[in-house]
Amino acid sequence: MVTDYSYRLDDRGSVLTAEVDYMDTSIEKAYCYVDQMDDRPVAECTRERMMPRTLSVETEVAVSKIFSKTLTVNGGISTHHHDVTKNSLLTPPDAPAKQSLFRYRGNGMAAYAECRARVGRLSLSGGGASAMESDHPFHDGAIPYGDLSPIRTRIDEFHYTTGNPYLAPAKGFDLGATCTLRGRWTLAYTFSRTVDGIQHLTFVDGDDSEQTFRQPINCVVSSVHKLDLSCAMRLTRWWRINWELTGVGEYWHYYRCRLGTNSLNVVL
């Protein structure tokens, strides 16, 4: 269910908007897994029964305030609450049944602000955004259940995957500014930073050195710088040229290892 509301603040076009998105779903799922190795008979079926329920509430309030023809301020706040419950019963053919009772909660809030101003032929805009989150929050979406569940999923005789119940979501912020000159030249800069980034790594099982497993870990810190320069001009009545120059620098830290890439693109 989605509900939205809009209120006109003044005669200049300033507006207040609000939106609420509510979802509550539940379903029962049953799966049957069969493992088969080369030159071996087909194994008996492993059954899994899941009864997930998802409750999601997202809200957003935004304001666009027009002070004059040369000054506009935009801002907004969004919140989310996600509650996922999963009751899973795994029944292998030659082992006791395993039951997983799992609850995933996430609460968070994000805010942004932007200012647009014009002085003569010079146009300026700038803004930023940040997020504050708690419990198991959401940055670019919910952390998948498989990344949090400690139940092992067998890949083959020597490899398996498992989730990390202590996994935390990535957190970060974005900042940007744009400058427009004479309606032709546009210069924009964006910076984003993320901490506690999630990366799936491979480890050796401490109880059995012949076994390896993959598990998601919070081990990435990333920074991205992006600079855009573009120009649109008319050479003749029938010939118009647009070009754009973009430079991007991306840097990652994995434990004590630092990686980086730089790129430059030209579009005509």
Side-chain angles (χ1 to χ4, degrees):
M1 179 182 69
V2 178
T3 303
D4 58 78
Y5 173 78
S6 179
Y7 178 74
R8 188 173 180 179
L9 298 175
D10 52 43
D11 295 334
R12 291 187 292 269
S14 303
V15 63
L16 168 70
T17 59
E19 181 176 322
V20 178
D21 189 345
Y22 174 84
M23 179 183 69
D24 189 353
T25 60
S26 61
I27 191 172
E28 183 172 335
K29 302 178 181 180
Y31 298 92
C32 180
Y33 308 105
V34 177
D35 295 330
Q36 182 179 11
M37 304 291 291
D38 294 339
D39 301 327
R40 296 185 182 181
V42 178
E44 295 184 31
C45 178
T46 297
R47 300 186 180 277
E48 183 179 19
R49 182 169 174 259
M50 293 186 295
M51 294 152 283
R53 179 177 181 266
T54 301
L55 173 65
S56 174
V57 181
E58 298 182 1
T59 65
E60 182 176 3
V61 177
V63 176
S64 178
K65 177 63 176 178
I66 302 176
F67 292 94
S68 66
K69 293 182 179 180
T70 60
L71 179 61
T72 300
V73 176
N74 301 317
I77 297 176
S78 63
T79 66
H80 63 251
H81 170 75
H82 297 270
D83 192 340
V84 179
T85 304
K86 184 174 181 181
N87 185 352
S88 177
L89 181 64
L90 187 67
T91 308
D94 54 356
K98 296 180 180 180
Q99 187 173 22
S100 173
L101 300 177
F102 174 81
R103 191 169 191 180
Y104 180 105
R105 284 181 172 178
N107 299 283
M109 180 179 69
Y112 72 92
E114 181 186 35
C115 179
R116 296 178 179 271
R118 179 181 295 274
V119 180
R121 294 184 177 183
L122 179 65
S123 299
L124 298 173
S125 67
S130 62
M132 295 179 293
E133 302 174 334
S134 62
D135 295 327
H136 289 291
F138 301 75
H139 189 65
D140 293 327
I143 299 177
Y145 165 75
D147 283 355
L148 291 169
S149 173
I151 292 180
R152 297 181 179 183
T153 301
R154 177 63 58 182
I155 299 177
D156 55 38
E157 187 177 358
F158 301 103
H159 305 85
Y160 64 90
T161 63
T162 182
N164 181 0
Y166 302 102
L167 195 66
K171 301 177 181 66
F173 64 90
D174 302 278
L175 294 173
T178 303
C179 177
T180 302
L181 181 61
R182 297 181 179 178
R184 295 182 178 180
W185 297 86
T186 300
L187 178 65
Y189 170 74
T190 303
F191 172 74
S192 63
R193 181 172 174 83
T194 301
V195 296
D196 288 337
I198 299 172
Q199 181 73 21
H200 287 75
L201 302 179
T202 300
F203 302 91
V204 176
D205 193 321
D207 298 326
D208 185 353
S209 60
E210 293 185 352
Q211 299 284 324
T212 62
F213 64 93
R214 286 181 62 82
Q215 185 181 48
I217 302 294
N218 292 111
C219 62
V220 181
V221 177
S222 65
S223 300
V224 179
H225 300 268
K226 183 178 179 182
L227 187 64
D228 293 290
L229 177 63
S230 62
C231 179
M233 63 180 63
R234 185 183 300 276
L235 299 181
T236 66
R237 292 183 179 179
W238 52 270
W239 189 10
R240 183 181 180 87
I241 185 173
N242 297 294
W243 62 269
E244 181 177 343
L245 180 67
T246 302
V248 179
E250 300 182 62
Y251 306 95
W252 301 271
H253 292 265
Y254 298 91
Y255 292 111
R256 298 180 181 179
C257 179
R258 185 176 187 272
L259 303 174
T261 63
N262 296 283
S263 63
L264 182 64
N265 299 315
V266 179
V267 179
L268 296 177

